[in-house]
Amino acid sequence: MKVFSHFSLNPDPYKAGLEIAEKIARIDPEIVFIFPTIHYEGSPETAEAMFDVIGKEDMVLVGNTGEGFYEKNKVSNSGVSALAVNSCGKIKWYPASADGMISDPFSATKSCIEKVNRNCNFSFPVLYFLASDFRADAKKITNALSETVRGPLIGGFAGDEYSFTSSFLYYGREVLTDSIVAVAINGDFEFDIKIAHELQPIGSIGRVTCAEGTRITEISGMPAMNFVEKQIGKPLNVVDQGIITFKVTETGQKHGHKIRSVMLPKDRKDDKSIILFSAIDEGDNVQVCLAPPEMMLKDIKDIGESMNNLSFKPSAALIVSCAGRKKVLADDIEIEVKTIASKCPSLKGLAGYPSFGEFGSVKNKTGYTKPLFHNMTFLILLLGDKEL
């Protein structure tokens, strides 16, 4: 497997694409995962430059904007990173897209995954990659994924600089909004998905007493915002968005929970509700959680140490990490990349982005779960050749 990653900080979208393409062209890539930041304003020129230099119209190119980017040798708030892979024909990549994510995320997600499944001739893909506009209900997305995917999945919500106004998806030469992009991956290769999301619960458990979709109006009989402020001991502020989370236990659920980031309503003047990226039901229990930096760094260290237990040598890595983690870790965010790179010397390329929500299958004793939606979570996909 030939793998190469590179980045550019050039503010000109076409020149940034040229700078990356001139480096990755050497491996004649079958697929390029691209992660530009919002500063390029969704310009198609970055992708166009790659096609112009590499000269392969059948090359798969997918990706999305994030709150910055990750690359093996660089973490930055602005610019673009890319991961290129040439499996020498061992892997087949089946991309598809669908629009309408804001109005009907269930149907759009189902349509997109059904397309990649058809492209696979309805065989069972080994793996899926997914990118979505963040202005969609994650619960409806995961419901559709549960019905359609036939293997593990990794991906996330595209994003911007925490303005929550726009995001862009990249699909070949196209730049999409209000859309979803997916790739089914089939062939002869090894992979592993690792996830880190340890959090520290604080305060009392509350019951959601008034909610509609992704908006919670009331918890335990009081305005939702007041409930959160009571637990954390201070007023909620814009800087808390993406950092404070809920541990959600659904009605009737005895085991397991979900993590959901807490967002503030856009018009905060008299609005005491809070917003999640995924719908919640009345009767669900919630508990406020925080993520201490030392806990996050230990998570990454543990993932790094676990590299020694893999049955193969990874050549490529894709990272989807919550933008909230980046807020908390600040300058230490580079450790997420440096730890993986130092503990996995076989890696030839790594790229990714800080997301507004993560989709990932969790590894268990019998394999992988159906795709779940996460917040405040670090996910990494490792790809490599099968050992002889």
Side-chain angles (χ1 to χ4, degrees):
M1 185 180 294
K2 300 176 183 178
V3 175
F4 198 84
S5 66
H6 196 56
F7 71 92
S8 175
L9 304 180
N10 196 311
D12 182 278
Y14 193 82
K15 291 179 180 178
L18 285 178
E19 187 177 332
I20 291 176
E22 287 169 355
K23 296 291 185 180
I24 65 177
R26 67 184 68 174
I27 70 166
D28 191 26
E30 300 164 348
I31 188 169
V32 177
F33 296 92
I34 180 174
F35 303 108
T37 62
I38 203 68
H39 303 88
Y40 297 113
E41 299 179 339
S43 171
E45 293 181 359
T46 305
E48 288 173 358
M50 294 187 183
F51 280 100
D52 291 347
V53 171
I54 296 169
K56 291 175 63 177
E57 286 301 318
D58 62 345
M59 179 180 73
V60 177
L61 186 146
V62 293
N64 55 273
T65 55
E67 207 278 299
F69 74 76
Y70 299 133
E71 198 273 330
K72 186 180 178 183
N73 299 298
K74 185 69 176 178
V75 175
S76 179
N77 294 323
S78 62
V80 54
S81 67
L83 174 71
V85 179
N86 181 348
S87 70
C88 302
K90 292 182 179 179
I91 301 176
K92 300 298 181 184
W93 318 88
Y94 303 97
S97 68
D99 57 15
M101 283 297 286
I102 299 174
S103 61
D104 192 352
F106 179 88
S107 297
T109 302
K110 186 175 181 179
S111 171
C112 184
I113 300 299
E114 286 177 344
K115 286 178 188 176
V116 297
N117 287 344
R118 284 196 299 271
N119 291 340
C120 285
N121 295 319
F122 295 96
S123 64
F124 284 81
V126 175
L127 184 67
Y128 295 84
F129 170 82
L130 177 148
S132 170
D133 191 306
F134 73 89
R135 295 166 295 183
D137 182 352
K139 186 172 185 177
K140 294 179 180 178
I141 294 173
T142 53
N143 287 343
L145 293 175
S146 293
E147 289 189 12
T148 53
V149 298
R150 297 183 171 92
L153 178 145
I154 185 173
F157 275 144
D160 55 21
E161 292 180 305
Y162 266 103
S163 64
F164 300 103
T165 56
S166 62
S167 65
F168 300 95
L169 307 182
Y170 294 77
Y171 182 71
R173 291 181 180 266
E174 298 180 80
V175 179
L176 310 174
T177 60
D178 187 21
S179 300
I180 183 171
V181 169
V183 181
I185 307 171
N186 235 345
D188 190 25
F189 65 97
E190 296 282 1
F191 77 95
D192 195 276
I193 298 173
K194 295 186 178 296
I195 295 179
H197 53 188
E198 287 297 318
L199 297 172
Q200 179 179 325
I202 61 172
S204 60
I205 296 173
R207 182 175 293 274
V208 177
T209 46
C210 187
E212 183 177 356
T214 59
R215 182 184 294 271
I216 304 176
T217 307
E218 188 179 273
I219 301 173
S220 296
M222 70 175 70
M225 193 176 294
N226 291 0
F227 173 84
V228 176
E229 290 175 343
K230 182 179 179 181
Q231 312 310 309
I232 65 176
K234 72 178 187 70
L236 271 174
N237 202 295
V238 173
V239 297
D240 296 316
Q241 292 193 113
I243 294 178
I244 294 174
T245 60
F246 276 157
K247 181 172 76 172
V248 180
T249 306
E250 295 179 350
T251 306
Q253 186 177 357
K254 295 182 179 180
H255 305 287
H257 61 267
K258 299 173 181 178
I259 300 299
R260 300 291 180 257
S261 292
V262 171
M263 312 302 296
L264 301 179
K266 289 184 179 180
D267 182 11
R268 297 179 53 212
K269 192 173 182 180
D270 299 310
D271 194 341
K272 294 295 183 179
S273 66
I274 57 175
I275 311 296
L276 306 182
F277 283 109
S278 180
I280 193 167
D281 295 326
E282 293 179 3
D284 289 353
N285 289 328
V286 295
Q287 186 173 21
V288 175
C289 294
L290 296 175
E294 59 274 14
M295 190 176 287
M296 289 186 179
L297 295 175
K298 182 181 182 301
D299 273 348
I300 298 303
K301 181 181 178 181
D302 289 345
I303 284 181
E305 296 297 333
S306 72
M307 298 291 183
N308 296 324
N309 300 322
L310 293 173
S311 61
F312 68 103
K313 293 181 179 180
S315 298
L318 276 173
I319 288 177
V320 183
S321 182
C322 182
R325 295 175 64 92
K326 183 183 172 188
K327 261 191 179 184
V328 173
L329 291 175
D331 292 341
D332 286 337
I333 192 65
E334 293 186 357
I335 292 176
E336 290 194 333
V337 170
K338 289 181 177 179
T339 299
I340 300 303
S342 64
K343 294 296 183 179
C344 192
S346 62
L347 275 184
K348 300 171 185 174
L350 176 154
Y353 67 102
S355 64
F356 281 174
E358 304 75 58
F359 296 91
S361 301
V362 178
K363 194 173 186 180
N364 55 32
K365 294 180 180 179
T366 59
Y368 285 91
T369 65
K370 289 283 189 179
L372 304 172
F373 179 66
H374 311 271
N375 280 133
M376 216 59 178
T377 299
F378 173 92
L379 293 93
I380 183 168
L381 167 66
L382 300 162
L383 294 173
D385 290 311
K386 287 193 173 179
E387 300 294 317
L388 298 176

